[in-house]
Amino acid sequence: MTAPAEKGTIPRLALAGIFGGLFCGYLGLTAAIPVLPGFVRDSFGATDVAVGMVVMATALTALLVRPVSGHLADRYGHRLVMRLGALIVAVGGALYFLPLGLTGLIGVRLLLGVGEAALFTAGAVWVVSLAPHHRRGQLIGLYGVSMWGGISVGTFLGATLLPLGYGAVWGFSVAAALIGLALISSAPVPPRTEQPSGGHALLVRPALLPGAALALASAGYAGLAAFVVLHLQARGIDSGVVVLSCFSAVYAGTRLFIGHLPDRLGPRRVATWSGAGEAAGLLIIALAPNLPVAVIGSLVMGAGFSLLHPSLALMVMNLTEASKQGAAIGAYTSFWDLGLSVWGPVIGAVATGFGYPAVFVAGAVCAAAAVAVALCVRRPDTQPAVVS
């Protein structure tokens, strides 16, 4: 175990390495996303189904490997597992260069899912272990901003590099991941003060209810990402992509400026408000007669949805003993992958059967259900120990 941070202090050098390593790792992971569909069609003449399999393959292994990654981080150290994740991302980027065929490409994407799970999960618990107790929720939120920042910039740079050829994108993926590896390696690690627990459970019980709430809440995000543009176009409203941009901006801004609220007000209270905000925003979008109203809905939803994940994650941490928190956060974040995997086809069926507004109404109902589940999470009996 690493030694806890002194009260009120933040090890800025270590956090810079972790946040920077995560950002660069996700640059390497996501630079390929906007170019893979064209690459699959150009190289293999593949169908849309094959394109979907290639792009989404990482989610499958990430879902399965996150709890394992957290467990390994608990036992062998957060930096070691996070470095392994960055290295796998770099190796996966290099494998894009090889003529492996469609099946081999899917295998590469599955491998990258393992790297992503190790990179994100080990880093998440490492951040919490270094944070003063009263700022853990805030730093969990900022960690997520680093991830989403890497995703946004990575996809943009991947599309920007495409005119130079696929090799330029693959090379960038490798270079970004290696820079991330160097940053992670630069983060100092305090000496271990305790021996890791001998337990082997990967699905830690305190993660179940918060994870279920997260999976329910993901329905609204899935609906927004997939159907808001089509929903507004059906009403004669152009520039629906502005709604997504506003959602992303307020999502990041909320964590940057009021990300301390789960620590200050308590994760249960903030999770309740956040789920209610997500539901309200989705209902506004469902009823929006014009673009300004839809933008207002995205702002309300973004502000609520932004703090839901760190609030639920803080609940998990508060209920899990220190030696199992890596496995717990790994299990908890797996529910996000599970939720998107389930809700993707479900909201498609809802849109087909009941129309686009029903997608957002269904998302609002799921957000309300997420609040109900979160309220069922028991309160910790005692003040939790600082994560180590």
Side-chain angles (χ1 to χ4, degrees):
M1 298 290 174
T2 56
E6 295 179 9
K7 183 176 181 180
T9 65
I10 295 180
R12 299 183 185 278
L13 181 60
L15 291 179
I18 299 168
F19 285 15
L22 183 76
F23 177 82
C24 291
Y26 271 91
L27 284 181
L29 277 166
T30 59
I33 296 299
V35 307
L36 277 174
F39 176 75
V40 171
R41 289 196 177 95
D42 292 345
S43 302
F44 312 112
T47 65
D48 288 339
V49 173
V51 171
M53 289 176 62
V54 169
V55 173
M56 297 303 297
T58 54
L60 174 61
T61 43
L63 168 64
L64 298 174
V65 174
R66 286 191 201 277
V68 178
S69 299
H71 174 69
L72 293 175
D74 287 332
R75 290 189 61 82
Y76 302 111
H78 308 123
R79 185 171 69 174
L80 175 63
V81 176
M82 196 177 183
R83 290 171 67 189
L84 179 61
L87 181 60
I88 291 173
V89 172
V91 170
L95 290 175
Y96 283 137
F97 284 101
L98 302 181
L100 300 176
L102 181 60
T103 301
L105 181 60
I106 292 174
V108 170
R109 296 291 295 165
L110 291 171
L111 176 65
L112 285 167
V114 174
E116 191 232 339
L119 179 73
F120 178 87
T121 306
V125 186
W126 192 3
V127 164
V128 176
S129 74
L130 296 173
H133 187 272
H134 66 285
R135 297 189 65 178
R136 295 191 305 171
Q138 181 183 18
L139 290 178
I140 291 172
L142 293 177
Y143 185 76
V145 171
S146 296
M147 180 193 75
W148 285 104
I151 292 172
S152 300
V153 177
T155 53
F156 171 77
L157 291 178
T160 301
L161 290 170
L162 181 58
L164 300 177
Y166 293 119
V169 180
W170 310 152
F172 174 79
S173 296
V174 175
L178 290 177
I179 293 171
L181 176 61
L183 289 170
I184 295 164
S185 300
S186 72
V189 178
R192 289 161 96 69
T193 57
E194 300 176 23
Q195 293 299 315
S197 169
H200 297 286
L202 297 180
L203 190 59
V204 181
R205 182 171 296 180
L208 295 180
L209 284 179
L214 182 66
L216 286 166
S218 70
Y221 172 76
L224 183 78
F227 290 109
V228 69
V229 174
L230 295 174
H231 167 59
L232 295 177
Q233 284 178 346
R235 296 188 171 182
I237 303 171
D238 295 325
S239 303
V241 69
V242 173
V243 175
L244 286 172
S245 299
C246 290
F247 168 84
S248 299
V250 77
Y251 178 94
T254 299
R255 290 195 177 183
L256 287 172
F257 295 107
I258 58 172
H260 61 282
L261 289 184
D263 296 305
R264 180 168 297 180
L265 302 178
R268 178 186 297 265
R269 181 183 301 178
V270 176
T272 301
W273 294 350
S274 296
E278 181 189 0
L282 286 164
L283 291 176
I284 293 171
I285 293 171
L287 300 173
N290 52 49
L291 183 61
V293 173
V295 168
I296 291 172
S298 74
L299 297 177
V300 174
M301 179 191 174
F305 189 70
S306 178
L307 295 185
L308 188 60
H309 162 65
S311 298
L312 294 170
L314 197 55
M315 288 183 179
V316 175
M317 292 297 183
N318 287 346
L319 291 170
T320 307
E321 62 183 84
S323 63
K324 296 181 179 178
Q325 287 182 341
I329 202 65
Y332 164 72
T333 53
S334 290
F335 280 91
W336 171 257
D337 301 299
L338 178 63
L340 293 182
S341 299
V342 170
W343 294 120
V346 169
I347 62 173
V350 170
T352 300
F354 301 98
Y356 296 134
V359 169
F360 302 96
V361 174
V365 171
C366 288
V371 171
V373 172
L375 289 174
C376 293
V377 178
R378 69 179 179 87
R379 300 178 188 272
D381 297 327
T382 59
Q383 188 74 1
V386 176
V387 184
S388 53

